[in-house]
């Protein structure tokens, strides 16, 4: 994994964060580069693990999934051990170490109510290093926040690569999962840029069917394509989670307003006293301060905010950090 990128690599990486399966030709045309330059550079970025492509399921399209965000208080001398153990679980999507080094934030996609009960009443209480926790069920995720590009793409470039997602093309109740879908999703989670031929081989189907199913997944917002990398490589040196209390009548408007801000990478309405969780990636602490005072501060519906800086990321979009 790289420790630094030049300006061209950073813009290519930002383009792939915005549009994870964009063709090399599309990236080259959008950024004003030659296709040969893009091919040469992205091959190296993926080969050394600087960029990794994957997918994340939309729990709203999988009724059996229970999406939960946990804030877990741990003994500081055991926190990395607990974070790594959580990251190894197949049902965790994000695992971050927060604040003063005694708290973990983790997002779980739990396989039904029984799995949630087992986690909260059996697994966590049985872990000696865990002192306490709060659980927040994710009620709605706002997809506009996924168009983050670290400010490296112009509005025109961002619109060309990642148009506004808009509403899903198929209502959730109408979406039908085929037998091949489980294998396709598993293959995409391992490599979000796998060719349709490779996906077809993994799923035991044809390349045409694999392509049609993937397009249906994306258009129906069943899956979110994702490019994972260390955000500091794109100039985002400061990351934080904001746990915001919003008046219920203002929740939708507040979430939509924050979700389109260039610093916001994730925005979801939750249960609990803090009913909105927002992940922010900014250039530095001053930029985070400005976001809090100039963007969050003027919002009428916000009644309280708890800002927790990220100290370390252990797992993101289902991928363990090396």
């Amino acid at each position: 994994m790289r420790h630094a990128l030049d300006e061209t690599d950073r813009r290519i990486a930002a383009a792939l964060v915005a549009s994870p399966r964009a063709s090399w030709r599309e990236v080259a045309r959008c950024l004003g580069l030659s296709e040969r330059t893009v091919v040469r550079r992205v091959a190296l970025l993926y080969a050394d693990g600087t960029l990794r492509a994957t997918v994340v399921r939309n729990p709203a399209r999988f009724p059996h999934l229970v999406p939960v965000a946990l804030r877990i208080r741990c003994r500081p001398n055991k926190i990395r051990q607990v974070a790594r153990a959580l990251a190894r679980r197949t049902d965790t999507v994000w695992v971050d170490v927060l604040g003063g080094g005694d708290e973990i934030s983790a997002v779980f996609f739990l396989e039904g109510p029984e799995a949630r009960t087992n986690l909260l009443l059996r697994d966590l209480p049985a872990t000696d290093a865990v002192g306490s926790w709060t659980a927040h069920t994710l009620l709605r995720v706002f997809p506009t926040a996924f168009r983050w590009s670290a400010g490296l793409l112009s509005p025109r470039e961002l619109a060309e690569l990642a148009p506004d997602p808009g509403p899903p093309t198929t209502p959730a109740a109408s979406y039908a999962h085929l037998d091949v879908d489980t294998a396709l999703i598993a293959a995409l989670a391992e490599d979000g840029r796998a060719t349709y031929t490779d996906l077809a081989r993994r799923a035991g189907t044809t390349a045409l069917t694999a392509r049609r199913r993937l397009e249906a997944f994306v258009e129906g917002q069943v899956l979110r394509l994702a490019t994972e990398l260390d955000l500091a490589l794109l100039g985002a040196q400061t990351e934080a989670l904001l746990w915001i209390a919003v008046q219920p009548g203002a929740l939708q408007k507040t979430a939509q307003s924050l979700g389109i801000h260039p610093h916001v990478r994730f925005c979801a309405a939750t249960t609990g006293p803090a009913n909105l969780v927002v992940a922010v990636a900014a250039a530095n602490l001053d930029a985070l301060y400005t976001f809090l005072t100039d963007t969050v501060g003027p919002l009428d519906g916000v009644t309280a905010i708890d800002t927790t800086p990220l100290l370390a990321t252990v797992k993101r979009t289902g991928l363990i950090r090396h």
Side-chain angles (χ1 to χ4, degrees), residues 45-88:
L45 291 170
Y46 281 113
D48 65 14
T50 298
L51 298 183
R52 293 189 289 172
T54 187
V55 295
V56 179
R57 291 178 293 176
N58 177 0
R61 297 296 191 165
F62 295 82
H64 68 287
L65 290 182
V66 181
V68 176
L70 291 185
R71 299 182 66 176
I72 305 169
R73 291 281 184 179
C74 300
R75 298 209 311 265
N77 63 331
K78 295 290 186 180
I79 196 162
R80 288 191 178 275
Q81 178 181 336
V82 174
R84 286 194 293 267
L86 290 172
R88 287 193 294 269

Side-chain angles (χ1 to χ4, degrees), residues 2-257:
R2 313 281 182 90
H3 298 290
L5 299 178
D6 66 21
E7 184 66 18
T8 298
D9 281 340
R10 290 172 65 189
R11 279 177 45 79
I12 291 172
L16 291 169
V17 169
S19 183
R21 279 188 70 94
S23 70
W24 308 143
R25 180 173 298 177
E26 290 170 333
V27 172
R29 182 177 63 247
C30 179
L31 301 183
L33 301 170
S34 72
E35 187 173 349
R36 177 175 296 182
T37 296
V38 171
V39 170
R40 183 180 72 252
R41 288 178 177 252
V42 295
L44 295 174
L45 291 170
Y46 281 113
D48 65 14
T50 298
L51 298 183
R52 293 189 289 172
T54 187
V55 295
V56 179
R57 291 178 293 176
N58 177 0
R61 297 296 191 165
F62 295 82
H64 68 287
L65 290 182
V66 181
V68 176
L70 291 185
R71 299 182 66 176
I72 305 169
R73 291 281 184 179
C74 300
R75 298 209 311 265
N77 63 331
K78 295 290 186 180
I79 196 162
R80 288 191 178 275
Q81 178 181 336
V82 174
R84 286 194 293 267
L86 290 172
R88 287 193 294 269
R89 292 179 59 120
T90 58
D91 54 9
T92 52
V93 183
W94 289 1
V95 179
D96 295 302
V97 178
L98 303 179
D102 63 347
E103 184 179 0
I104 293 171
S105 172
V107 173
F108 293 77
F109 286 176
L110 299 164
E111 298 283 339
E114 183 176 356
R116 176 178 55 189
T117 300
N118 290 339
L119 173 67
L120 299 178
L121 300 184
R122 184 193 67 190
D123 299 347
L124 290 176
T127 306
D128 292 338
V130 172
S132 63
W133 60 89
T134 56
H136 306 258
T137 300
L138 302 184
L139 299 176
R140 176 170 298 180
V141 176
F142 295 86
T144 52
F146 298 129
R147 300 173 77 243
W148 183 87
S149 67
L152 292 166
L153 302 180
S154 69
R156 179 195 63 78
E157 290 168 336
L158 188 59
E160 182 178 339
L161 283 169
D164 189 321
T169 56
T170 306
S174 302
Y175 184 80
H177 292 276
L178 303 181
D179 291 340
V180 300
D181 290 350
T182 299
L184 283 173
I185 293 170
L188 286 162
E190 292 180 11
D191 180 5
R193 289 200 63 96
T195 66
Y196 295 114
T197 299
D198 288 340
L199 292 175
R201 177 178 51 80
R202 287 284 302 272
T205 187
T206 66
L208 179 59
T209 296
R211 179 169 189 158
R212 286 176 174 170
R213 293 309 291 166
L214 177 53
E215 289 173 350
F217 293 156
V218 174
E219 291 172 3
Q221 296 181 14
V222 175
L223 299 178
R224 177 174 68 86
L225 300 167
T227 298
E228 171 60 15
L229 79 162
D230 181 355
L231 301 187
L233 292 173
L234 300 187
Q237 301 291 336
T238 299
E239 293 187 71
L241 286 180
L242 311 183
W243 306 86
I244 305 174
V246 184
Q247 295 173 359
L251 184 57
Q252 178 84 2
K253 182 178 179 181
T254 301
Q256 291 175 336
S257 175

